[in-house]
Amino acid sequence: MRTVTLPVAYMPLVDAAPLIVAREMGFDHAEGISLDLRPAPSWSSLRDMLAFGHVDAAHLLSPVPVAMALGLGGIATPLSAVSVLSLNGNVIGVGTQLAERLIDQGYGFDFTDAAAAGAALAKAADEVLVFGVPFPFSMHVELLRYWIAGTKLASKQVEIRTVPPPLMAQALAGGEIDAFCVGEPWGSFAVDDSVGALLLPGKAIWTCAPEKVLAVRNDWAETEPHLLGSLMRTVWRAGRWLSNTDSRTTASEMLSRKTYLNVSPELIDRALMGEFAISARGEQRSVEGFVEFFDGAATFPWRSQAKWVAHQLALRNGLDVGTAERQAAKVFRSDLYRRELQGLGVETPGASEKLEGALSESTAVASANGSLILSRNVFFDRRIFEPAG
Amino acid sequence: MNQHLTVVVVEQNQERAFAIVDALKEAGDVDVSVIGNVSGLARKIATHSPDIVLIDIDNPSRDMLEELTVASGPLERPVAMFVSGAAGGLAKAAVEAGVSAYVVDGLQAERIKPVIDTAIARFQVLRQMRTELAETRRALEERKVIDRAKGLLMKAKGISEDEAYALLRNTAMNQNRRVAEVAEALVTASGLLS
């Protein structure tokens, strides 16, 4: 069968797995396309590669297309998030100095209770606390700010600075930052480098945070609907394959290769298995479903997810919240998801919005075949997000 | 009106930085500074208060500059990524040439254009050189691996060098892979077996 080559940009991170697996397992060829995966050196260059047409699709931080729709951050090419690539997958870590102070004050590093972690960190930290994050528009920033605002950390002077993930450990060692929020494997990398300890998985702040999306340009989505459909089905199949725990060792090995992440498979295993070494002393913590690629309709691009991000961005940047939410809702394309995946018999929810933070247990919801179960969806402070727009 | 433009070039390699600075100075009335060390990049740039920042697109530290495009960022003046739509394909051309430009909002496109055009031309030349260098290096690396694989085959099968190479090439053709890939697999496998 003849295949069409599709250039797709990604950042070398564990959550690029659906794209890497799609290529390595040949899910792309089965759909008549051939993914030409191009690693990007930075999020801004990845965004520009997509915006200026060097690639047709990209593995993108979910707040980036939302911010662009709100006119924040320079470039304004309209993008669509056609599918969520992953939920969660970030870790919050602190430098060794702060880690020691936390131990001295008797903090147990439970890795689950975000409120307690915030209180302990507020007690251990100096007046100014500097966090490193990979990009100004990212779930890292949103989770951090939400966490800081809802805990005792709100009383501190907190700065958030951009540091590229591979340089995070170095910035921590050099004292440029005191703590970080970063995608795996870079948190574990800092632990193995003996420059930091892990405090929380991002999941402890919001159990269902949309982390990365599959993004395309709107004009491309309109002119190439067949390619778009092939791409979305390819990635969906890769996510389903990844959801099988038997696949994960193979996935770690694929991701670890020089062409992709170029780190040891053992480092990648931690995120995929949810088994972490949280400090250089080798203490272990488990996180079930640390990063989710499939289960619980993880890949469905809920318009309410885009609204949540827009809500936070609007408040910080002085935009009208209702307008921002309405603009953002158009970016997460639940319509395209339904159109392109229904042929596979994929269960899609009946609604395109949900109350974010309102599911304290996994729950069955209305769907095409009536057998869709959504995962637990709560914020650490138990608040429920009600859209304004 | 003051036609003078302040430009900051972020480039760790000194020779490359000088090549860009020289080109920019020829392009017009510009005051160019170079930042080599990227730690605390956004703050350093804020102290220069430039009209334009130029950085290599492959530089991972580029993300640090995105903070400047956020209104609440450390630089008081608003900064735009590239020139607004008025300058047409300039942004696209810059990305293709491997340069990213951050321009203060409100600067007229016609003032910036010659500076960015020059930067684009210079970056293109440097990029070309770098690609060629990388390819030469890769070719050398690959030849080393192929030589080792040939050696392994000659020893294991008692065949000549030409026969060993032919075997590698035929295997690569049959498997639809590159000779270097097959050679690397062989070297890795023999490492495991020894």
Side-chain angles (χ1 to χ4, degrees):
Chain A
M1 184 164 66
R2 270 187 57 183
T3 61
V4 179
T5 301
L6 216 60
V8 180
Y10 72 100
M11 276 295 263
L13 288 167
V14 169
D15 59 25
L19 289 169
I20 294 168
V21 161
R23 170 96 197 94
E24 289 293 314
M25 295 293 294
F27 292 123
D28 55 346
H29 289 178
E31 279 290 340
I33 56 173
S34 177
L35 298 184
D36 171 14
L37 296 182
R38 307 208 183 150
S42 64
W43 284 112
S44 33
S45 95
L46 182 143
R47 175 203 57 199
D48 298 349
M49 282 160 89
L50 180 62
F52 296 121
H54 289 245
V55 294
D56 291 331
H59 161 237
L60 198 54
L61 294 156
S62 61
V64 170
V66 174
M68 284 166 81
L70 304 188
L72 299 170
I75 295 209
T77 310
L79 299 183
S80 287
V82 294
S83 164
V84 172
L85 281 179
S86 57
L87 295 178
N88 307 113
N90 294 325
V91 288
I92 293 173
V94 295
T96 37
Q97 224 184 350
L98 269 176
E100 271 159 32
R101 281 193 234 164
L102 284 164
I103 293 166
D104 287 347
Q105 73 191 35
Y107 179 64
F109 284 85
D110 70 342
F111 221 49
T112 54
D113 187 339
L121 184 57
K123 207 170 138 199
D126 296 326
E127 211 34 58
V128 183
L129 185 60
V130 184
F131 279 96
V133 295
F135 201 64
F137 302 107
S138 60
M139 199 44 77
H140 311 80
V141 172
E142 299 311 332
L143 290 177
L144 266 186
R145 288 197 182 276
Y146 190 85
W147 177 54
I148 290 162
T151 61
K152 295 223 164 85
L153 285 166
S155 64
K156 295 278 163 179
Q157 191 186 330
V158 176
E159 279 179 36
I160 297 182
R161 278 191 208 145
T162 307
V163 178
L167 304 180
M168 206 61 91
Q170 201 185 317
L172 203 59
E176 280 177 57
I177 53 173
D178 307 309
F180 59 73
C181 180
V182 73
E184 279 291 275
W186 298 108
S188 290
F189 184 83
V191 169
D192 281 15
D193 229 17
S194 301
V195 298
L198 302 184
L199 195 61
L200 283 177
K203 198 179 174 181
I205 296 168
W206 181 11
T207 58
C208 272
E211 174 55 34
K212 301 291 173 357
V213 293
L214 180 66
V216 299
R217 284 180 311 283
N218 285 3
D219 59 357
W220 186 82
E222 274 158 36
T223 52
E224 302 286 359
H226 297 296
L227 283 179
L228 174 67
S230 300
L231 174 66
M232 289 171 70
R233 288 188 291 275
T234 296
V235 170
W236 183 85
R237 283 181 208 275
R240 185 176 60 177
W241 183 85
L242 274 163
S243 75
N244 186 343
T245 40
D246 294 343
S247 307
R248 300 220 160 169
T249 313
T250 314
S252 295
E253 193 275 319
M254 283 174 192
L255 266 68
S256 74
R257 287 180 197 164
K258 209 155 62 178
T259 25
Y260 301 120
L261 271 66
N262 194 22
V263 296
S264 81
E266 188 272 330
L267 205 60
I268 295 168
D269 266 344
R270 297 187 202 173
L272 292 182
M273 305 294 185
E275 297 290 342
F276 289 87
I278 61 157
S279 75
R281 289 189 307 279
E283 291 163 276
Q284 300 283 315
R285 296 288 183 275
S286 302
V287 186
E288 211 197 309
F290 169 77
V291 55
E292 187 54 68
F293 300 109
F294 186 77
D295 285 339
T299 56
F300 188 78
W302 295 92
R303 294 195 188 271
S304 45
Q305 293 172 329
K307 285 186 174 184
W308 185 85
V309 172
H311 187 95
Q312 319 297 328
L313 287 174
L315 287 180
R316 277 209 302 284
N317 291 284
L319 305 173
D320 180 70
V321 173
T323 313
E325 286 182 10
R326 280 190 295 279
Q327 285 167 331
K330 293 182 198 141
V331 176
F332 274 43
R333 302 298 298 273
S334 35
D335 56 330
L336 293 181
Y337 189 96
R338 285 207 179 82
R339 187 185 82 192
E340 299 303 335
L341 292 178
Q342 66 183 6
L344 288 181
V346 174
E347 269 285 42
T348 53
S352 297
E353 290 196 20
K354 60 183 176 346
L355 284 177
E356 300 295 341
L359 281 187
S360 55
E361 295 305 328
S362 297
T363 309
V365 294
S367 66
N369 304 324
S371 60
L372 185 67
I373 294 172
L374 296 187
S375 305
R376 184 167 178 268
N377 182 349
V378 289
F379 292 97
F380 80 96
D381 58 3
R382 301 291 161 149
R383 280 197 352 205
I384 291 167
F385 171 66
E386 301 242 18
Chain B
M1 191 183 146
N2 185 11
Q3 288 295 307
H4 198 70
L5 285 177
T6 308
V7 182
V8 164
V9 177
V10 182
E11 175 59 69
Q12 277 159 294
N13 181 310
Q14 255 193 358
E15 272 175 50
R16 268 209 298 265
F18 288 147
I20 297 162
V21 170
D22 287 347
L24 291 178
K25 292 212 159 151
E26 276 167 33
D29 184 16
V30 290
D31 178 12
V32 193
S33 319
V34 175
I35 296 180
N37 184 347
V38 295
S39 67
L41 189 57
R43 266 170 299 138
K44 279 185 195 161
I45 284 174
T47 61
H48 281 90
S49 187
D51 301 303
I52 306 174
V53 182
L54 298 171
I55 185 170
D56 190 322
I57 238 163
D58 289 334
N59 191 331
S61 302
R62 198 190 142 191
D63 280 344
M64 294 183 184
L65 292 184
E66 287 293 308
E67 278 173 357
L68 300 178
T69 68
V70 187
S72 55
L75 194 64
E76 292 297 300
R77 299 187 298 164
V79 171
M81 167 73 199
F82 292 112
V83 200
S84 59
L90 206 50
K92 193 168 188 288
V95 168
E96 266 157 22
V99 54
S100 339
Y102 291 76
V103 180
V104 171
D105 251 352
L107 267 188
Q108 284 156 335
E110 55 270 28
R111 285 187 63 204
I112 303 163
K113 199 169 182 308
V115 175
I116 300 207
D117 275 343
T118 313
I120 288 173
R122 185 55 52 185
F123 270 78
Q124 230 155 12
V125 171
L126 296 171
R127 197 179 181 76
Q128 175 85 27
M129 279 164 53
R130 203 169 42 182
T131 314
E132 278 167 16
L133 185 67
E135 264 165 28
T136 314
R137 272 207 194 115
R138 203 189 57 165
L140 267 176
E141 280 299 311
E142 285 183 351
R143 228 186 60 199
K144 270 193 236 159
V145 176
I146 292 170
D147 282 346
R148 281 184 63 193
K150 275 196 294 192
L152 287 168
L153 286 175
M154 287 158 69
K155 207 168 132 193
K157 307 192 86 148
I159 52 177
S160 74
E161 187 174 345
D162 284 348
E163 284 169 320
Y165 186 72
L167 184 55
L168 280 176
R169 200 187 48 208
N170 289 340
T171 311
M173 272 165 61
N174 290 340
Q175 298 186 356
N176 206 6
R177 293 159 80 187
R178 295 172 51 244
V179 173
E181 276 178 54
V182 173
E184 199 176 329
L186 181 62
V187 171
T188 309
S190 87
L192 287 173
L193 290 170
S194 68

